[in-house]
């Protein structure tokens, strides 16, 4: 029999102020980031027990992602997204992560620009370089 169940814990539009960018002026300020996170995981234990100890704690995920964004001080969104995805896969029990990181103030004519990546736990644990589906926009 094949696997027919897919559960996702998600965070939509997490707002984080962080140093991000390649220009000298960007390195001297913080800018807003909007982060969407989808963590594919088995929620059946929490669904039955109704206990937070059995759940993937999205408050902890948000706190971690905020702290990591502020500590990494990446130049590129691509680098920041990969670092966050790797850290999430290391810390949390999930099979797949889809992560979007957007800069809403980067391009005046756009609502936001950013990157979206997908990473899998197996790829992260076997050292294969985290093969993934990746799309990106300019990081100005």
């Amino acid at each position: 029999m094949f696997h027919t169940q897919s559960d996702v814990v998600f965070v939509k539009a997490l707002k984080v102020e962080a140093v991000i960018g390649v220009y000298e002026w960007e390195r001297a300020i913080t800018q807003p980031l909007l982060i969407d996170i989808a963590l594919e995981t088995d929620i059946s234990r929490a669904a039955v027990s109704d206990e937070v100890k059995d759940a993937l704690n999205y408050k902890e995920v948000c706190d971690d992602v905020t702290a990591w964004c502020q500590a990494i001080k990446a130049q590129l969104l691509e680098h920041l997204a990969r670092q966050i995805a790797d850290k999430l896969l290391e810390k949390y029990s999930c099979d797949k992560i889809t992560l979007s990181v957007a800069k809403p103030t980067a391009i005046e004519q756009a609502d936001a620009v950013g990157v979206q990546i997908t990473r899998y736990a197996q790829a992260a644990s076997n050292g294969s370089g985290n093969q993934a589906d990746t799309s990106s926009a300019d990081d100005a």
Side-chain angles (χ1 to χ4, degrees):
M1 186 164 204
F2 58 91
H3 181 73
T4 59
Q5 183 172 314
S6 178
D7 303 329
V8 175
V9 173
F10 70 90
V11 176
K12 183 129 178 97
L14 175 65
K15 295 166 186 67
V16 177
E17 288 285 329
V19 173
I20 184 79
V22 297
Y23 300 113
E24 191 173 316
W25 66 267
E26 290 180 299
R27 307 306 297 160
I29 64 169
T30 61
Q31 296 183 68
L33 299 173
L34 295 175
I35 302 170
D36 292 338
I37 309 161
L39 302 113
E40 189 172 304
T41 187
D42 183 356
I43 67 165
S44 60
R45 181 183 232 171
V48 171
S49 74
D50 200 25
E51 296 287 337
V52 71
K53 69 178 177 56
D54 295 328
L56 195 154
N57 187 323
Y58 50 80
K59 166 78 166 89
E60 188 177 333
V61 168
C62 291
D63 290 346
D64 284 342
V65 169
T66 298
W68 295 332
C69 286
Q70 292 169 343
I72 292 168
K73 298 181 180 174
Q75 293 185 63
L76 299 177
L77 292 176
E78 291 86 347
H79 178 75
L80 180 62
R82 178 174 179 169
Q83 294 293 313
I84 293 168
D86 287 350
K87 289 176 182 300
L88 287 168
L89 285 169
E90 287 172 17
K91 184 167 183 180
Y92 295 97
S93 177
C94 54
D95 300 319
K96 175 182 168 185
I97 293 173
T98 300
L99 176 79
S100 299
V101 183
K103 288 173 71 173
T105 60
I107 303 294
E108 185 178 339
Q109 301 85 350
D111 287 342
V113 296
V115 299
Q116 177 176 314
I117 65 173
T118 300
R119 298 290 185 265
Y120 298 86
Q122 185 177 22
S125 64
N126 72 14
S128 68
N130 280 348
Q131 294 179 351
D133 302 322
T134 305
S135 61
S136 68
D138 291 337
D139 271 330

